[in-house]
Amino acid sequence: MSHADRRAEGVMIMEALRGVLGAPPMPQGSWEREARFVSTAALRGTAEPPAEAAERLASRLRAVPGIRRVDVRPNGFLVIGVAAPGEIVDEVLAAPIAVSPPPASCAAPWPDFPRTWDNPGFAVRYAYVRAGAVRRWARDLGVPARAAVRPELLDGPFDRAVLRVLAELPSRKESRDPGWAAYLERLAEVYHTAVERASPIPRGDEAPSEVHAARVRMGEAVRRVLGEGLAELGVAPPGKI
């Protein structure tokens, strides 16, 4: 089943993994060469020996569309390779926006000033604003519409670095201590690098392409996560900087 078929049927790779494992797996490694997750599901709440439970889960995972490979480690850990990590962008954007009101005592983790790269709060806020600006610039420069986006095009090292951080979102949302501030700082860092090194908008005489469209959409996912994370921390997402 292709990505387009799975999207048409409402099948999402992370949802499918959660359905088999009972909880979202964690991304493993840098993802520069291969997008992999690791899961300890075989060690949780089962009377089976971990190795047997892992083999049973691995068999089910191998039948999931979009799974490239599943390895069972001697300790019962499952290492899962996915074929198109760019599909995570669709999942982020398809999820309902649900932000819990921050506690009354919640204070912003970073100051508003100085507005320099030495201030992680500036980098996070600027990444949020920058992703919105990129979307506007791309539209003005004729980057193809969303309908043309193919997530498999997000295959460069800088794209994969962003996807790697986005892939942590499901497990962080279920964590008792998601560590939003540090997470948003990392997401902002890899996004700024991606914009500079793998531009989502055409430069010079470069023609608009589907790769640009995929990167713009990835930026929309980044902006969504940053906005929700800032709200969780009691920080109003900025309109401009």
Side-chain angles (χ1 to χ4, degrees):
M1 183 186 294
S2 69
H3 165 74
D5 292 336
R6 292 199 300 278
R7 182 164 56 180
E9 295 183 10
V11 178
M12 297 287 189
I13 189 66
M14 291 300 293
E15 289 181 4
L17 290 173
R18 185 199 299 265
V20 174
L21 300 169
M26 279 291 294
Q28 181 189 56
S30 69
W31 282 26
E32 184 171 350
R33 295 186 178 181
E34 183 181 13
R36 297 180 298 178
F37 291 91
V38 64
S39 171
T40 60
L43 310 181
R44 299 193 301 264
T46 176
E48 293 178 277
E52 293 181 14
E55 289 292 350
R56 175 176 53 80
L57 290 171
S59 179
R60 293 178 60 192
L61 288 168
R62 292 181 183 118
V64 173
I67 298 300
R68 174 172 285 167
R69 61 182 292 177
V70 182
D71 297 325
V72 178
R73 297 291 186 248
N75 58 6
F77 283 34
L78 292 160
V79 180
I80 307 152
V82 298
E87 293 183 14
I88 290 165
V89 169
D90 283 346
E91 299 207 34
V92 170
L93 293 173
I97 299 176
V99 178
S100 303
S105 60
C106 182
W110 323 279
D112 190 16
F113 292 93
R115 291 181 175 174
T116 67
W117 294 112
D118 293 331
N119 178 3
F122 166 76
V124 171
R125 294 180 180 97
Y126 179 40
Y128 177 84
V129 172
R130 190 177 200 179
V134 163
R135 182 175 55 193
R136 294 191 299 273
W137 297 333
R139 182 182 62 240
D140 294 343
L141 292 171
V143 171
R146 292 182 184 179
V149 169
R150 293 191 289 131
E152 63 268 24
L153 297 176
L154 295 171
D155 199 38
F158 302 106
D159 303 319
R160 281 177 172 258
V162 177
L163 297 174
R164 165 63 176 77
V165 180
L166 286 175
E168 295 179 23
L169 185 63
S171 56
R172 284 186 178 273
K173 282 186 172 181
E174 295 192 3
S175 172
R176 294 181 179 179
D177 183 17
W180 289 124
Y183 176 66
L184 298 185
E185 290 173 20
R186 288 176 49 232
L187 181 57
E189 180 181 6
V190 293
Y191 178 66
H192 286 306
T193 300
V195 171
E196 295 295 333
R197 304 293 296 276
S199 179
I201 56 176
R203 290 179 172 172
D205 296 331
E206 186 180 12
S209 70
E210 290 181 318
V211 173
H212 293 120
R215 288 172 176 165
V216 170
R217 186 166 171 78
M218 182 173 70
E220 292 176 3
V222 170
R223 179 177 169 87
R224 165 79 72 88
V225 174
L226 291 174
E228 292 184 6
L230 285 168
E232 289 279 1
L233 292 169
V235 180
K240 62 181 180 178
I241 289 183

